[in-house]
């Protein structure tokens, strides 16, 4: 028996340890999980997990629930009521004394009812006609359409934010790689120049010029390293991840920029009804029209029907739950007709204000349409310019690299001054940053154009 108990104890102990190790391993795996995304994968992940996108889904669900809430107000409504009263001091009524053979002018005090009363009533109400109810149903449909469009707009905004953040992370990574290469090259040049100066074969100004350039590049590298962390945290935030989550990008800036060059997008026509901002302002006009209908409907009569059934019991003591209590039934069928007659022109003023709001919404719709057309033209121009700028920056970078290389050779042979070398190096560094930035602009401007067109990436 003792051996059996020891076996059970060891078995429980080993099982607990195994479960503990499994939990620790699972927790460690979760802690060390690394996310890896292409741009498209990052966009799809963000649309599902971005905080704003999640709430936009909830807003749409809330609008659908609100629609049923409004519909339900016009369907049969059943309510019940239970009441109990105990008249601690019963009211007394006075009857003329003549009824009991007494002298005229005298009164007899009498209590008509028993002190305790219990009642239960159920009431069924049905709306027959109410103009505001019809308008309310139409308004819920318009609100659902607005919530759906707002969800689409949120997704487009998230898409645009992810593209910009993704590009900024790649930009910082590419900048770091270039700056590290430049720094290593400058350190080599400075070391060689320092040795020449120490041996009396160079001048001190050459050393100082290179030190100035190296210090500037070193500061830029430190800043880029800080920005890399910040831009990655921003991307994580937009995607709905913990800002410190380990995230890796599968694409590089050059390939991504090449993929984003689509000249056929410049020939795509703007369909106004596809633009999300136009859809939303159209929703606003629908709401203003319904608000005007609502004010007009308030001048119409409303008709409701009801029927109830109840039962009441009276007693000197609380025995309503017993079999010996006597209950008296009652039932009422009725209609309520409400007719607005005169409101001192209050309804007319509200209707007039609703008309003014509708006219303002129509004006806003016209303005929005013109603004979207301008946005389309601007987005096309910016996109085309960024492509041209990218091609130019690529050519300029190649030229700057050749110029810097030539000046470095000349400087080593004593045919160029340190100032000329520094100018060539600065020109190269500027060309490198312009090239990187031009790729980011291509990506961002393509997304801006697609947003106006409401196109998918």
């Amino acid at each position: 028996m003792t051996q059996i108990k020891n076996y059970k104890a060891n078995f429980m102990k080993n099982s607990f340890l195994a479960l503990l190790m499994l939990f620790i391993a699972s927790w460690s795996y979760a802690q060390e999980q690394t996310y890896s995304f292409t741009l498209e994968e990052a966009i799809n992940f963000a649309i599902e997990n971005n905080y704003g996108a999640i709430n936009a889904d909830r807003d749409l669900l809330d609008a659908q629930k609100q629609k049923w809430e409004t519909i339900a107000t016009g369907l049969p409504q059943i309510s019940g009521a239970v009441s109990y009263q105990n008249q601690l001091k019963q009211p007394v009524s006075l009857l003329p004394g003549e009824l009991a053979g007494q002298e005229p002018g005298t009164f007899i005090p009498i209590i008509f009812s028993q002190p305790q009363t219990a009642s239960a009533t159920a009431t069924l109400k049905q709306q027959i006609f109410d103009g505001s109810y019809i308008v309310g149903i139409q308004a819920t449909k318009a609100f659902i359409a607005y919530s759906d469009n707002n969800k689409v707009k949120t997704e487009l905004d998230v898409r645009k934010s992810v593209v910009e953040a993704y590009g900024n992370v790649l930009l910082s990574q590419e900048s770091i790689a270039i700056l590290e290469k430049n720094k290593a090259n400058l350190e080599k040049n400075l070391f060689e120049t320092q040795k020449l100066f120490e041996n009396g074969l160079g001048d001190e100004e050459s050393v100082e010029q290179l030190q100035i350039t190296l210090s500037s590049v070193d500061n830029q590298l430190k800043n880029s390293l800080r920005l890399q962390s910040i831009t990655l945290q921003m991307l994580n935030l937009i995607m709905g991840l913990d800002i410190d989550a380990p995230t890796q990008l599968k694409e590089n800036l050059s390939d991504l920029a090449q993929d984003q060059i689509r000249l056929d997008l410049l020939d795509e026509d703007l369909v106004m009804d596809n633009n999300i901002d136009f859809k939303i302002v159209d929703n606003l006009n629908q709401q203003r029209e319904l608000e005007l209908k609502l004010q007009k409907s308030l001048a119409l009569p409303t008709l409701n029907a009801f029927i109830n059934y109840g039962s009441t019991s009276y007693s000197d003591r609380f025995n309503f739950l017993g079999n010996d209590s006597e209950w008296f039934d009652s039932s009422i069928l009725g209609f309520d007709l409400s007719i607005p007659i005169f409101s001192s022109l209050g309804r007319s003023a509200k209707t007039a204000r609703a008309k003014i709001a509708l006219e303002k919404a129509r004006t806003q719709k016209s303005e929005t349409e013109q603004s979207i057309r301008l946005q389309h033209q601007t987005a096309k121009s910016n996109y085309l310019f960024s492509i041209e700028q990218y091609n130019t920056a690529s050519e300029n970078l190649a030229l700057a690299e050749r110029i810097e290389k030539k000046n470095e050779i000349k400087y080593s042979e004593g045919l160029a001054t340190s100032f000329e070398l520094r100018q060539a190096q600065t020109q190269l560094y500027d060309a490198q940053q312009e090239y990187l930035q031009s790729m980011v602009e291509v990506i961002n401007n393509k997304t801006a154009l697609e947003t106006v067109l409401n196109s998918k990436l």
Side-chain angles (χ1 to χ4, degrees):
M1 182 64 70
T2 303
Q3 292 179 344
I4 294 176
K5 288 183 179 180
N6 292 336
Y7 173 80
K8 289 182 177 180
N10 291 331
F11 176 79
M12 294 296 295
K13 181 180 179 180
N14 293 334
S15 298
F16 173 78
L17 290 175
L19 288 174
L20 181 61
M21 294 299 295
L22 180 62
F23 171 78
I24 293 174
S26 301
W27 181 82
S28 299
Y29 173 78
Q31 290 296 107
E32 297 173 357
Q33 182 180 2
T34 300
Y35 298 91
S36 182
F37 301 100
T38 63
L39 177 57
E40 185 176 357
E41 289 171 347
I43 290 171
N44 293 333
F45 186 90
I47 289 176
E48 293 293 328
N49 298 278
N50 175 268
Y51 302 111
I54 291 173
N55 281 336
D57 287 334
R58 290 169 178 162
D59 288 339
L60 180 58
L61 180 61
D62 181 73
Q64 293 168 346
K65 297 299 182 181
Q66 184 176 344
K67 177 183 177 181
W68 178 250
E69 179 183 344
T70 303
I71 292 173
T73 59
L75 301 179
Q77 307 289 317
I78 300 177
S79 61
V82 177
S83 173
Y84 166 73
Q85 293 182 1
N86 186 354
Q87 297 180 348
L88 301 178
K89 193 68 175 178
Q90 290 182 270
V92 176
S93 299
L94 298 177
L95 293 179
E98 295 93 320
L99 296 178
Q102 297 184 9
E103 294 292 330
T106 60
F107 295 92
I108 303 173
I110 187 171
I111 298 174
F112 282 101
S113 178
Q114 291 174 293
Q116 298 193 40
T117 306
S119 64
T121 307
T123 303
L124 169 65
K125 295 182 180 180
Q126 175 60 57
Q127 184 182 93
I128 298 177
F129 177 79
D130 189 338
S132 62
Y133 174 74
I134 299 173
V135 177
I137 297 298
Q138 296 173 337
T140 57
K141 294 179 180 179
F143 185 62
I144 289 177
Y146 168 79
S147 299
D148 188 50
N149 287 330
N150 184 64
K151 180 178 182 294
V152 174
K153 181 172 177 59
T154 301
E155 290 179 355
L156 288 173
D157 290 341
V158 169
R159 180 185 297 273
K160 185 177 180 181
S161 298
V162 170
V163 170
E164 292 177 352
Y166 197 98
N168 288 335
V169 174
L170 292 178
L171 175 62
S172 64
Q173 291 176 349
E174 294 285 348
S175 296
I176 290 171
I178 289 176
L179 289 169
E180 286 178 341
K181 180 181 177 181
N182 293 341
K183 181 181 178 182
N185 189 45
L186 283 169
E187 287 174 341
K188 177 185 176 183
N189 290 340
L190 178 59
F191 176 79
E192 293 174 351
T193 304
Q194 182 74 37
K195 290 300 182 182
L196 290 173
F197 172 67
E198 291 174 356
N199 294 323
L201 299 177
D203 57 88
E204 187 177 9
E205 182 182 351
S206 299
V207 177
E208 292 172 344
Q209 289 284 359
L210 287 173
Q211 286 176 337
I212 291 173
T213 307
L214 179 59
S215 297
S216 177
V217 170
D218 187 53
N219 286 335
Q220 292 177 20
L221 177 58
K222 291 177 181 177
N223 185 56
S224 295
L225 289 170
R226 290 191 294 268
L227 286 177
Q228 182 183 26
S229 176
I230 294 173
T231 54
L232 190 57
Q233 288 178 333
M234 179 62 71
L235 178 61
N236 283 340
L237 177 63
I238 295 171
M239 289 196 299
L241 294 171
D242 186 280
I243 62 171
D244 295 321
T247 304
Q248 297 177 353
L249 308 189
K250 296 180 180 179
E251 300 185 77
N252 62 66
L253 190 58
S254 179
D255 293 341
L256 186 58
Q258 287 287 342
D259 293 340
Q260 300 303 304
I261 297 178
R262 280 186 47 199
L263 296 178
D264 60 296
L265 196 62
L266 297 168
D267 298 325
E268 188 171 332
D269 294 329
L270 172 65
V271 180
M272 192 60 63
D273 290 336
N274 289 344
N275 183 274
I276 195 61
D277 290 325
F278 184 80
K279 288 182 178 181
I280 290 176
V281 79
D282 189 54
N283 288 143
L284 176 63
N285 276 258
Q286 294 175 13
Q287 293 174 22
R288 294 295 178 261
E289 289 174 356
L290 291 171
E291 288 172 3
L292 178 58
K293 284 185 179 181
L294 176 62
Q295 294 303 324
K296 291 180 177 179
S297 71
L298 295 178
L300 300 176
T302 59
L303 179 63
N304 298 293
F306 68 91
I307 182 172
N308 71 5
Y309 179 84
S311 188
T312 305
S313 179
Y314 307 92
S315 179
D316 291 329
R317 56 190 177 84
F318 191 89
N319 62 348
F320 301 108
L321 303 179
N323 295 328
D324 57 341
S325 61
E326 187 176 6
W327 291 83
F328 303 93
D329 298 335
S330 63
S331 182
I332 301 174
L333 171 66
F335 297 89
D336 292 326
L337 178 64
S338 176
I339 304 174
I341 298 176
F342 182 65
S343 66
S344 298
L345 301 179
R347 285 193 304 272
S348 298
K350 291 181 179 179
T351 302
R353 291 187 61 196
K355 287 181 180 178
I356 293 171
L358 176 58
E359 291 170 356
K360 289 173 63 178
R362 287 172 177 169
T363 301
Q364 184 178 349
K365 182 178 180 180
S366 299
E367 180 186 12
T368 301
E369 182 176 356
Q370 297 303 316
S371 177
I372 291 170
R373 294 185 187 279
L374 180 59
Q375 289 176 24
H376 180 228
Q377 294 300 322
T378 303
K380 286 174 60 177
S381 176
N382 291 341
Y383 182 45
L384 181 58
F385 176 73
S386 63
I387 294 174
E388 295 170 343
Q389 192 72 7
Y390 166 69
N391 292 330
T392 301
S394 179
E395 295 172 357
N396 289 344
L397 177 60
L399 290 173
E401 287 174 343
R402 288 200 295 269
I403 292 172
E404 193 273 341
K405 189 65 176 178
K406 290 177 182 178
N407 276 273
E408 187 175 347
I409 294 173
K410 288 180 179 180
Y411 175 75
S412 64
E413 295 176 352
L415 300 177
T417 65
S418 59
F419 181 76
E420 291 173 331
L421 176 60
R422 185 171 188 274
Q423 279 188 320
Q425 289 172 334
T426 303
Q427 181 176 255
L428 173 61
Y429 303 155
D430 291 341
Q432 290 170 341
Q433 293 303 315
E434 288 175 3
Y435 176 65
L436 294 178
Q437 191 62 44
S438 69
M439 290 189 286
V440 173
E441 290 299 321
V442 168
I443 298 169
N444 291 343
N445 287 326
K446 175 177 178 284
T447 305
L449 179 56
E450 287 177 323
T451 301
V452 176
L453 296 171
N454 195 6
S455 300
K456 300 295 183 183
L457 282 175

